[in-house]
Coordinates of all heavy atoms in Angstrom, one line a residue:
L221 N -82.6 84.0 144.3 CA -82.0 82.8 143.8 C -83.0 81.8 143.5 O -84.0 81.6 144.3 CB -81.1 82.3 144.9 CG -80.3 80.9 144.7 CD1 -79.4 81.1 143.5 CD2 -79.6 80.6 146.0
V222 N -82.9 81.1 142.4 CA -83.9 80.1 142.0 C -83.1 79.0 141.3 O -82.1 79.2 140.6 CB -84.9 80.6 141.1 CG1 -84.3 81.3 139.7 CG2 -86.0 79.7 140.7
Q223 N -83.7 77.8 141.3 CA -83.0 76.6 140.7 C -83.2 76.7 139.1 O -84.2 77.3 138.7 CB -83.6 75.3 141.2 CG -83.0 75.0 142.7 CD -83.6 73.6 143.1 OE1 -84.8 73.4 143.0 NE2 -82.7 72.8 143.6
A224 N -82.4 76.1 138.5 CA -82.7 76.0 136.9 C -83.9 75.3 136.8 O -84.3 74.3 137.4 CB -81.5 75.2 136.4
G225 N -84.7 75.8 135.8 CA -86.0 75.2 135.5 C -87.1 75.8 136.3 O -88.3 75.6 136.1
G226 N -86.8 76.6 137.3 CA -87.8 77.2 138.2 C -88.3 78.6 137.6 O -88.0 78.9 136.5
S227 N -89.1 79.2 138.4 CA -89.9 80.4 137.9 C -89.6 81.5 138.9 O -89.4 81.3 140.1 CB -91.4 80.1 137.8 OG -91.6 79.1 136.8
L228 N -89.7 82.7 138.5 CA -89.6 83.9 139.3 C -90.4 85.0 138.6 O -90.5 85.1 137.4 CB -88.1 84.3 139.4 CG -87.7 85.1 140.6 CD1 -87.9 84.4 141.8 CD2 -86.1 85.4 140.4
R229 N -91.0 85.9 139.5 CA -91.7 87.0 138.9 C -91.1 88.3 139.4 O -91.0 88.5 140.6 CB -93.2 86.8 139.4 CG -94.0 87.9 138.6 CD -95.5 87.7 139.1 NE -96.4 88.7 138.2 CZ -97.0 88.3 137.2 NH1 -96.8 87.1 136.7 NH2 -97.8 89.1 136.5
L230 N -90.7 89.1 138.4 CA -90.2 90.4 138.8 C -91.3 91.5 138.7 O -92.1 91.4 137.8 CB -89.0 90.8 137.9 CG -87.8 89.8 137.9 CD1 -86.8 90.3 137.0 CD2 -87.3 89.5 139.2
S231 N -91.2 92.4 139.5 CA -92.2 93.5 139.5 C -91.4 94.9 139.5 O -90.3 95.0 140.1 CB -93.2 93.5 140.7 OG -93.9 92.4 140.6
C232 N -92.0 95.9 138.8 CA -91.4 97.2 138.8 C -92.5 98.2 139.0 O -93.5 98.2 138.2 CB -90.6 97.5 137.5 SG -90.1 99.1 137.3
A233 N -92.3 99.1 140.0 CA -93.4 100.2 140.2 C -92.8 101.5 140.0 O -91.7 101.9 140.5 CB -93.9 100.0 141.7
A234 N -93.5 102.3 139.1 CA -93.1 103.7 138.9 C -93.9 104.5 140.0 O -95.0 104.3 140.3 CB -93.6 104.1 137.5
S235 N -93.2 105.5 140.6 CA -93.9 106.3 141.6 C -93.3 107.8 141.4 O -92.2 108.0 140.8 CB -93.5 105.8 143.0 OG -92.1 105.8 143.2
G236 N -94.0 108.7 142.0 CA -93.6 110.1 142.0 C -94.6 110.9 141.2 O -95.7 110.5 141.0
S237 N -94.3 112.0 140.8 CA -95.2 113.0 140.1 C -95.1 112.6 138.6 O -94.6 113.3 137.9 CB -94.7 114.4 140.4 OG -94.7 114.7 141.7
I238 N -95.8 111.6 138.3 CA -95.8 111.1 137.0 C -96.8 111.8 136.1 O -98.1 111.7 136.4 CB -96.1 109.5 136.9 CG1 -95.0 108.8 137.7 CG2 -96.1 109.0 135.5 CD1 -95.3 107.4 138.0
F239 N -96.4 112.3 134.9 CA -97.3 112.9 134.0 C -97.9 111.9 133.1 O -99.0 111.8 132.7 CB -96.6 114.0 133.2 CG -97.4 114.6 132.1 CD1 -98.3 115.6 132.4 CD2 -97.3 114.1 130.8 CE1 -99.1 116.2 131.3 CE2 -98.1 114.7 129.7 CZ -98.9 115.7 130.1
G240 N -97.0 110.9 132.7 CA -97.4 109.9 131.8 C -96.3 108.8 131.6 O -95.2 109.2 131.8
I241 N -96.7 107.6 131.2 CA -95.8 106.5 131.0 C -96.2 105.9 129.7 O -97.2 105.6 129.3 CB -95.9 105.4 132.1 CG1 -95.7 106.0 133.5 CG2 -94.8 104.3 131.8 CD1 -96.0 105.0 134.6
S242 N -95.1 105.9 128.8 CA -95.3 105.1 127.4 C -94.9 103.7 127.6 O -95.3 103.0 128.4 CB -94.5 105.9 126.5 OG -94.8 105.5 125.1
Y243 N -94.0 103.3 126.6 CA -93.6 102.0 126.7 C -92.8 101.6 127.9 O -92.1 102.5 128.5 CB -92.9 101.6 125.4 CG -91.6 102.5 125.1 CD1 -90.4 102.1 125.8 CD2 -91.7 103.5 124.3 CE1 -89.3 103.0 125.6 CE2 -90.6 104.2 124.0 CZ -89.4 104.0 124.6 OH -88.3 104.7 124.4
M244 N -92.7 100.4 128.3 CA -91.9 99.9 129.5 C -91.2 98.6 129.0 O -91.6 97.9 128.1 CB -92.9 99.7 130.7 CG -93.7 100.8 131.1 SD -94.7 100.5 132.6 CE -93.4 100.7 133.8
G245 N -90.2 98.3 129.7 CA -89.5 97.1 129.4 C -88.6 96.6 130.5 O -88.4 97.3 131.6
W246 N -88.0 95.5 130.3 CA -87.1 94.9 131.1 C -85.7 94.6 130.4 O -85.7 94.1 129.1 CB -87.6 93.5 131.7 CG -88.6 93.7 132.8 CD1 -90.0 93.7 132.7 CD2 -88.4 94.0 134.2 NE1 -90.5 93.9 133.8 CE2 -89.6 94.0 134.8 CE3 -87.1 94.0 135.0 CZ2 -89.7 94.2 136.2 CZ3 -87.3 94.2 136.3 CH2 -88.6 94.3 136.9
Y247 N -84.7 94.9 131.0 CA -83.3 94.7 130.4 C -82.5 93.9 131.5 O -82.9 93.9 132.7 CB -82.7 96.0 130.1 CG -83.3 96.8 128.9 CD1 -84.5 97.4 129.0 CD2 -82.6 96.8 127.6 CE1 -85.1 98.0 128.0 CE2 -83.2 97.4 126.6 CZ -84.4 98.1 126.7 OH -84.9 98.7 125.7
R248 N -81.4 93.4 131.0 CA -80.5 92.6 132.0 C -79.2 92.8 131.6 O -78.8 93.1 130.4 CB -80.9 91.2 132.1 CG -80.6 90.4 130.9 CD -81.2 88.9 131.0 NE -80.9 88.2 129.8 CZ -81.3 86.9 129.6 NH1 -82.1 86.3 130.6 NH2 -81.0 86.2 128.5
Q249 N -78.3 92.7 132.6 CA -76.9 92.8 132.4 C -76.1 91.8 133.3 O -76.2 91.8 134.4 CB -76.4 94.2 132.7 CG -74.9 94.4 132.3 CD -74.5 95.9 132.3 OE1 -75.1 96.7 133.0 NE2 -73.5 96.2 131.5
A250 N -75.4 90.9 132.6 CA -74.6 89.9 133.2 C -73.2 90.4 133.3 O -72.7 91.3 132.5 CB -74.7 88.6 132.5
P251 N -72.4 89.9 134.3 CA -71.1 90.4 134.5 C -70.2 90.2 133.2 O -70.3 89.2 132.6 CB -70.5 89.5 135.6 CG -71.7 89.1 136.4 CD -72.8 88.9 135.4
G252 N -69.6 91.4 132.8 CA -68.8 91.3 131.6 C -69.5 91.3 130.3 O -68.9 91.3 129.2
K253 N -70.8 91.6 130.3 CA -71.6 91.6 129.2 C -72.4 93.0 129.1 O -72.5 93.6 130.1 CB -72.5 90.6 129.1 CG -71.9 89.1 128.9 CD -73.0 88.1 128.6 CE -72.3 86.7 128.3 NZ -73.4 85.7 128.0
Q254 N -72.8 93.4 127.9 CA -73.5 94.5 127.8 C -74.9 94.3 128.2 O -75.5 93.2 128.3 CB -73.6 95.0 126.2 CG -72.2 95.5 125.8 CD -72.3 96.0 124.3 OE1 -73.0 95.5 123.5 NE2 -71.5 97.0 124.0

Side-chain angles (χ1 to χ4, degrees):
L221 176 65
V222 65
Q223 292 181 310
S227 298
L228 203 61
R229 190 178 188 92
L230 305 182
S231 295
C232 172
S235 62
S237 301
I238 302 170
F239 176 85
I241 306 175
S242 186
Y243 58 82
M244 305 182 80
W246 287 93
Y247 292 72
R248 67 187 182 187
Q249 187 167 25
K253 294 187 176 182
Q254 292 184 325

